[in-house]
Amino acid sequence: MVLLVPSLANGETQLHLVVYEDNLQARQFYAHEGWHTVAREIDDLPSGGTAAVLKLVKTLQAPQSDA
């Protein structure tokens, strides 16, 4: 799941997503694309049990104005 958070004062937008900690391939992909881990949590799985998840964030710069 990816959430857009366009509320930064300087016009930047933050993207937030959650990835399973044991999904190394996804974590490497997101790290390569500039995402950063901001939190680690243990979530309950719908099928029972738990899994560690990482919350990642990426900041997008606001477009520059030509004015």
Side-chain angles (χ1 to χ4, degrees):
M1 171 174 53
V2 177
L3 300 174
L4 288 173
V5 182
S7 59
L8 300 179
N10 58 1
E12 294 176 338
T13 296
Q14 283 190 333
L15 303 174
H16 294 255
L17 67 84
V18 177
V19 64
Y20 287 112
E21 185 176 49
D22 63 357
N23 189 344
L24 184 58
Q25 188 174 8
R27 291 173 49 200
Q28 289 173 335
F29 170 81
Y30 289 121
H32 182 264
E33 295 298 317
W35 293 78
H36 302 281
T37 302
V38 294
R40 179 183 185 271
E41 296 181 358
I42 303 298
D43 280 359
D44 294 322
L45 299 174
S47 60
T50 59
V53 296
L54 301 175
K55 295 190 175 197
L56 307 178
V57 67
K58 181 175 182 176
T59 301
L60 303 178
Q61 300 298 319
Q64 297 296 320
S65 162
D66 291 337

